[in-house]
Amino acid sequence: MVQTFRGPVQPDQLGSTLVHEHVFVGSPELDLNFPHPEWEPDTAVDRAVTALTRLRDLGVRTVVDLTVLGLGRDVARLVPVAERAPVHLIASTGYYTADVLPPFFRTHGPGLLVDGPDPLIEFFLHDIEEGIAGTAVRAGMLKVVTDEEGITEDVARVMTAAAVAAQQTGVPITTHSRPALRNGLDQQAFLQKRGVPLDRVVIGHSGDTEDLTYLRVLMDAGSTIGMDRFGMEHVLPDERRVATVLALLRLGYADRMVLSHDAACFSRVTPPSWRAAHAPHWRFENLPTRVVPMLLAGGATEDELHQMTVVNPARLLTPHPKRTS
């Protein structure tokens, strides 16, 4: 069974799935002390429900929200969205940092001032097995990050905790990667060394590169690649992202790609006014309305699209039992 905001569902009920999205991205301390002028709490839920309802009308049935700790995750705020929206919404756990963790983690953990188990492992397992922040919502995905800073001491700690949680629960891991640095390879090596099967790892943001050799190495090692930033044309135009997917389809990799946007209903990092001016297609509906027609026009088949949007997400999101050597 796959955990969603409204409870567990069978994998075959997920349907067409966007595997890397966000509903609300915030910054709790800033939001508390300096609220963003474009954040409208009285209408935010309604706007999110409208956006997700539009997705349902376009054939999408499931959205994975990868807003984890470090990005202002507030599951209680999303519960009314999930109750009203006619799609499955899946929550995630993990910690979003490319460098250092908050000071709490420097004093809490094995051998530290407040000695004891690593709280990250406890947090991740609690989110997956019991529920997030006092709710009954259980996480269905783990998320980790490496970027220009590399695998720092704190990033390694997050990734190790995610590896432990993935092994104990069977929940998959998705990553934030920087393809220009080819650091998906570092992520694979780190996670594999800690016992995570690479077929349970999605190397995220892989669509930011056109380096087919690099992408094939990732997939040949067993991972799925996230072609998950359609609409982020300030990074790479959609036409070039589509061309990369088509090239990999011709090489037989339909079973190892998933599609998404990394979009949000509201993000403090890139607020609505900025997105409207600089990335107007960076919206949940970009795939069904623009990208899928572009893929079909370029030679992708309906079966290949079904594989990338339905079959692959269902396979990944279905928890696997712990593997033994």
Side-chain angles (χ1 to χ4, degrees), residues 209-293:
T209 184
E210 298 167 282
D211 184 346
L212 298 186
T213 300
Y214 165 67
L215 297 176
R216 293 180 69 186
V217 170
L218 294 176
M219 291 185 287
D220 289 343
S223 293
T224 298
I225 58 172
M227 313 304 273
D228 53 28
R229 280 182 157 179
F230 283 101
M232 287 184 66
E233 297 193 277
H234 53 290
V235 177
L236 191 69
D238 279 354
E239 289 79 6
R240 291 166 65 180
R241 294 178 184 274
V242 166
T244 299
V245 172
L246 290 171
L248 292 171
L249 288 177
R250 289 192 290 270
L251 292 168
Y253 287 100
D255 63 336
R256 277 160 281 183
M257 288 188 283
V258 287
L259 311 179
S260 209
H261 305 96
D262 197 14
C265 294
F266 176 87
S267 173
R268 179 153 194 154
V269 181
T270 49
S273 60
W274 185 93
R275 292 186 182 217
H278 301 282
H281 298 302
W282 196 14
R283 297 174 292 135
F284 292 160
E285 62 187 65
N286 187 39
L287 266 168
T289 60
R290 289 182 69 247
V291 174
V292 166

Side-chain angles (χ1 to χ4, degrees), residues 82-129:
E83 289 175 343
R84 292 170 51 194
V87 297
H88 299 299
L89 192 63
I90 296 176
S92 304
T93 189
Y95 211 109
Y96 190 97
T97 179
D99 190 357
V100 298
L101 289 163
F104 167 85
F105 295 100
R106 299 203 178 280
T107 59
H108 288 68
L112 300 178
L113 180 65
V114 184
D115 197 3
D118 191 332
L120 285 168
I121 296 175
E122 294 183 329
F123 293 167
F124 297 170
L125 289 175
H126 187 278
D127 285 352
I128 295 168
E129 297 177 333

Side-chain angles (χ1 to χ4, degrees), residues 50-209:
T50 297
L52 294 171
T53 300
R54 168 68 171 154
L55 274 182
R56 171 78 185 196
D57 295 341
L58 292 169
V60 175
R61 296 293 179 264
T62 301
V63 175
V64 180
D65 186 295
L66 285 174
T67 310
V68 297
L69 298 173
L71 288 175
R73 184 184 70 179
D74 186 345
V75 165
R77 180 180 283 163
L78 289 190
V79 167
V81 176
E83 289 175 343
R84 292 170 51 194
V87 297
H88 299 299
L89 192 63
I90 296 176
S92 304
T93 189
Y95 211 109
Y96 190 97
T97 179
D99 190 357
V100 298
L101 289 163
F104 167 85
F105 295 100
R106 299 203 178 280
T107 59
H108 288 68
L112 300 178
L113 180 65
V114 184
D115 197 3
D118 191 332
L120 285 168
I121 296 175
E122 294 183 329
F123 293 167
F124 297 170
L125 289 175
H126 187 278
D127 285 352
I128 295 168
E129 297 177 333
E130 299 184 45
I132 299 171
T135 72
V137 178
R138 295 167 58 186
M141 178 77 86
L142 284 148
K143 183 180 182 181
V144 299
V145 176
T146 70
D147 212 300
E148 293 180 358
E149 298 84 351
I151 301 179
T152 66
E153 181 179 351
D154 280 5
V155 168
R157 186 173 170 186
V158 173
M159 292 179 69
T160 298
V164 172
Q167 287 180 285
Q168 291 192 22
T169 66
V171 167
I173 296 175
T174 193
T175 76
H176 164 109
S177 75
R178 180 62 69 94
L181 304 176
R182 299 169 65 94
N183 69 355
L185 300 172
D186 300 328
Q187 294 174 341
Q188 285 185 321
F190 187 98
L191 293 170
Q192 187 174 45
K193 184 177 180 180
R194 284 153 185 81
V196 180
L198 293 184
D199 63 354
R200 302 298 296 154
V201 177
V202 181
I203 305 299
H205 307 334
S206 293
D208 285 357
T209 184

